[in-house]
Amino acid sequence: MGSFFKFSTFILSDSHISFGEIRVSIIFIPHINMQRRKFLKVLGSASPALFAPQLMQASSASFIGPVVISTWAPNVKANAEAWRALSNGQNALEAVHQGVMVPESDPDDNSVGYGGLPDRDGAVTLDACIMDHLGNIGAVMGLEQIKHPISVARKVMEETPHVQLVGEGALKFALEKGFQKENLLTEKSKALWESWLKKSNYDPLQSIREIEKRIRENHDTIGMLAIDAEQRISGACSTSGMAYKIHGRVGDSSIIGAGLYVNNRIGAATATGVGEDVVRICGAHTIVEMMRQGYEPKEACRIALERLIELKGEDYARKTQIGFIALNKAGEVGCYSMLPEFSMAVRDAEAEYVIQAESIFSSDLK
Ligand code: GLY
């Protein structure tokens, strides 16, 4: 059953990609609703919305096994760390926390943590959030000089009566908790910012497209979801946000319900891309609610993207990029994006691999 659900029967064509010592398959999957059919067979019904509670039971009953998923192919490295935590008996919360710390420490990753591209004033400002299987949440926004915003978000969750801390308050809190101030602006990111300053043209889509062109060495925001052996689901999300943003801008990655959402009875979702548009449709929460209605993770991601088209029109949607990933209580996973080039890294008991997401539009050039 495991290989059936983990898409290996869906391979149309495959190739490989390497990240350091990790070499993984890239899998292209067609839009076949096999998982959904399986659910409906369990339910004996063709109406997902009417049978949501039973579906949740069916999902629980057919648990495939633990899995970790992340936005973007290079996060196979982050998944490996998360999987190590799960393999050592740690829970999904520990797994996503430790996994997300990997790109946060990586100076070559210029969209997360240390080495992240700065805002237009030259400040690296970080957003992150975390959510566990009990509905506990924590987030930091606009945090500067702290390499691991996900760890500060977790402290907010576990050691304060609040759920979000912002800017100077978040930094003060982090320092009180023993985090060390560091310069997060690497020479490489500084040089890119100085080059941008010459024209000072802010174009979120262009930033994302440039990142996608460099996808084999780089990526955008990390959103990570995990389900452990006891079917506890957790998620974490971390970013330096849109390059050259206005100082003080916050995207989706620290907004619970937009960049990340977990409902331990249903599943979880997380996002990457233009944060303004993810916030506009409460992306991650919408996906979880679609899974509650019985949609498989991939379909749920697509439906959330369609909400943006409904809200802002096709011309608008063609000029933005959003990538969603999701998993449900059974451990099934899926992804979808507005424009091409988005990918999801997957790690389970059988393999580590990358799924190239299908997209709503084939190009943003029309
Ligand atoms: N998705 C990251 C951001 O817009 O900040």
Side-chain angles (χ1 to χ4, degrees):
M1 186 170 73
S3 61
F4 172 82
F5 277 105
K6 296 303 179 188
F7 304 114
S8 45
T9 54
F10 296 165
I11 296 174
L12 284 181
S13 61
D14 74 325
S15 57
H16 291 87
I17 187 167
S18 294
F19 302 101
E21 292 173 356
I22 303 177
R23 185 167 188 268
V24 295
S25 297
I26 300 180
I27 298 175
F28 298 88
I29 50 172
H31 191 71
I32 296 175
N33 198 5
M34 295 300 284
Q35 294 165 315
R36 176 87 190 112
R37 264 187 254 156
K38 168 80 175 176
F39 277 153
L40 291 175
K41 199 171 156 197
V42 171
L43 290 170
S45 165
S47 174
L50 288 175
F51 285 84
Q54 293 92 326
L55 180 65
M56 284 184 278
Q57 283 171 10
S59 300
S60 273
S62 55
F63 182 45
I64 302 157
V67 63
V68 176
I69 57 174
S70 295
T71 52
W72 303 108
N75 281 322
V76 292
K77 291 183 285 187
N79 283 2
E81 194 58 37
W83 190 258
R84 211 178 337 268
L86 289 183
S87 304
N88 289 338
Q90 294 181 291
N91 66 15
L93 177 66
E94 287 297 340
V96 296
H97 182 183
Q98 291 175 33
V100 164
M101 287 175 76
V102 171
E104 284 184 341
S105 322
D106 183 353
D108 293 326
D109 181 328
N110 61 21
S111 66
V112 180
Y114 177 51
L117 287 168
D119 63 23
R120 58 191 56 185
D121 298 347
V124 180
T125 63
L126 306 176
D127 303 329
C129 70
I130 194 161
M131 184 162 189
D132 74 7
H133 63 290
L134 298 172
N136 296 314
I137 58 176
V140 289
M141 302 167 185
L143 179 63
E144 296 183 43
Q145 297 177 284
I146 302 291
K147 189 184 272 179
H148 291 297
I150 199 64
S151 304
V152 186
R154 184 164 175 189
K155 289 273 184 212
V156 172
M157 177 171 87
E158 293 180 339
E159 297 181 24
T160 80
H162 309 305
V163 298
Q164 296 164 336
L165 291 179
V166 58
E168 282 180 21
L171 176 59
K172 182 166 177 279
F173 170 76
L175 296 175
E176 283 167 8
K177 292 293 172 187
F179 291 86
Q180 301 296 313
K181 267 189 184 180
E182 294 176 60
N183 174 25
L184 302 181
L185 186 63
T186 57
E187 286 305 315
K188 187 173 150 195
S189 290
K190 186 164 177 249
L192 286 165
W193 167 62
E194 285 168 349
S195 159
W196 175 83
L197 275 178
K198 288 176 193 152
K199 285 192 182 165
S200 299
N201 174 31
Y202 180 67
D203 180 351
L205 184 60
Q206 192 53 33
S207 311
I208 286 179
R209 297 314 247 168
E210 280 167 16
I211 285 166
E212 286 167 349
K213 276 185 211 143
R214 300 197 302 269
I215 193 66
R216 278 162 202 273
E217 63 197 50
N218 212 324
H219 59 99
D220 186 40
T221 305
I222 181 167
M224 176 182 278
L225 308 172
I227 183 165
D228 63 29
E230 293 182 36
Q231 280 183 285
R232 291 170 296 209
I233 304 172
S234 289
C237 192
S238 184
T239 191
S240 51
M242 209 54 80
Y244 321 129
K245 61 196 175 185
I246 295 173
H247 185 71
R249 176 265 190 193
V250 174
D252 61 313
S253 302
S254 54
I255 309 281
I256 294 290
L260 174 70
Y261 200 70
V262 175
N263 180 321
N264 201 55
R265 296 182 68 196
I266 312 291
T270 187
T272 181
V274 179
E276 284 75 2
D277 289 325
V278 179
V279 171
R280 216 179 290 286
I281 55 169
C282 301
H285 185 262
T286 297
I287 293 166
V288 171
E289 289 306 304
M290 289 302 110
M291 291 193 289
R292 183 199 295 278
Q293 290 185 25
Y295 292 99
E296 63 163 290
K298 179 178 166 183
E299 283 179 291
C301 291
R302 182 183 168 107
I303 291 167
L305 292 163
E306 286 167 351
R307 291 281 167 87
L308 186 70
I309 300 170
E310 179 189 299
L311 201 62
K312 297 291 287 178
E314 187 178 322
D315 288 349
Y316 181 96
R318 276 184 186 282
K319 293 184 175 60
T320 191
Q321 173 64 311
I322 298 174
F324 286 129
I325 66 172
L327 66 77
N328 65 18
K329 188 71 173 171
E332 296 173 309
V333 302
C335 57
Y336 224 99
S337 59
M338 193 67 86
L339 299 177
E341 308 296 339
F342 176 55
S343 56
M344 172 173 74
V346 185
R347 180 72 165 93
D348 63 26
E350 293 168 7
E352 53 194 356
Y353 52 94
V354 169
I355 293 179
Q356 193 69 43
E358 285 181 57
S359 57
I360 301 248
F361 300 115
S362 57
S363 164
D364 58 322
L365 300 176
K366 285 184 190 167

